[in-house]
Amino acid sequence: MYLNVNNAIVYWQDAFVVTGAWTSWDEVMLYLPLQAGVNYLSVTSMTENGAPNLDTITVTETDQEESASNPLEPIVGESNNTYGEGRQMEALDRGVVVAYTGDGMLVSWRSLATDAEDTTFNLYQNGTFVASIQVQEATNYFVSGATASDSFTIDTYENGVLTEQGQTVIIFGNKNTGAGGTGAYMDVALNVPADQTMPDNITCSYTPNDCSVGDVDGDGAYEIIVKRDPSNSKDNSLSGYTRTVFLDCYELDGTQLWRIDLGINIRAGAHYTQYMVYDFEVTEKPNRCAKHRTAQQTVLEQ
């Protein structure tokens, strides 16, 4: 087995003699560089048969020379330290949004994992320079007195060189009048599925349910994937009919890209059709992952 002390980059190795019976004991001694106070020792087996049975570990002070040690081989993985390389991630734009607060506009945008440490963002209002913000400071800025009719753009610089210009801005121009009037929002028009009548002659309607986001068309902006549940959806403890479940995909301007009817064998309810949206196949366009049965009238509308 080998022994590591206080997460050092070296380890001490020793072999244990087979004693032949659990009632027979042997003693092995190692001279280690312990420090005053608390020390951390980790013991690791070096064979597939496991480590020896250790009954006790006794620590005593000694003036003996430290036992010979060996360098601990580092674990080498994929580098994530080079900008634009390494870890898989979405290829997103800055996602610039502007929210009306009643006395000004809050502009916010994304910092990206690929941003260099010297990245700077220049903010413009109606074409006029407002501020320069370092990536280490923030990725938002409040423009006092601005209104929803103003236009805003963000330019990105690395080491003084312009790398992104005039990022698209989404305006959250409506101020929420409820709950103290805090927050801002935008309306997205949804395509409501038609009511459906069940075999028991009960008619159900549809409401929006869970949502997820993903850049499904590869333009750098998120789309919204909305699950549509029928009004007769039921928990799995209840019997009875439920109508089909839909997944709808919308651009933020309300454009519907597609609709998936999951089919008659997918039951509607709070504990069904949990779905994920991510680029599982590394195609730079997210896939959707949900249970369905293609032989039972699953339909994709585009």
Side-chain angles (χ1 to χ4, degrees), residues 54 59 69 72 75 81 128 136-137 149 166 182-183 204 213 229 276 282-283:
L54 300 179
V59 179
S69 59
L72 186 64
I75 299 173
N81 297 324
T128 301
Q136 300 95 334
E137 297 175 345
S149 62
T182 58
C204 64
V213 295
D229 260 2
M276 296 177 288
V282 197
T283 60

Side-chain angles (χ1 to χ4, degrees), residues 170-191:
I170 297 173
I171 302 289
F172 289 74
N174 300 311
K175 190 172 187 300
N176 181 7
T177 57
T182 58
Y185 68 95
M186 62 180 294
D187 291 315
V188 177
L190 301 180
N191 177 18

Side-chain angles (χ1 to χ4, degrees), residues 191-263:
N191 177 18
V192 182
D195 293 351
Q196 296 188 18
T197 301
M198 308 302 300
D200 56 7
N201 292 321
I202 294 177
T203 299
C204 64
S205 58
Y206 282 87
T207 56
N209 197 263
D210 295 336
C211 291
S212 187
V213 295
D215 177 19
V216 302
D217 56 6
D219 65 354
Y222 277 143
E223 283 73 46
I224 304 174
I225 291 80
V226 183
K227 183 176 78 165
R228 286 281 191 170
D229 260 2
S231 55
N232 63 349
S233 65
K234 304 178 189 298
D235 190 84
N236 51 12
S237 63
L238 302 175
S239 61
Y241 291 107
T242 70
R243 204 47 176 156
T244 54
V245 177
F246 297 99
L247 293 178
D248 290 348
C249 179
Y250 296 94
E251 301 272 11
L252 289 180
D253 64 1
T255 302
Q256 185 174 5
L257 299 184
W258 43 257
R259 165 172 288 167
I260 300 176
D261 180 342
L262 294 184

Side-chain angles (χ1 to χ4, degrees), residues 28-46:
V28 171
M29 196 170 294
L30 285 171
Y31 300 102
L32 307 175
L34 302 183
Q35 60 192 16
V38 177
N39 290 267
Y40 297 92
L41 308 180
S42 62
V43 178
T44 305
S45 169
M46 298 182 65

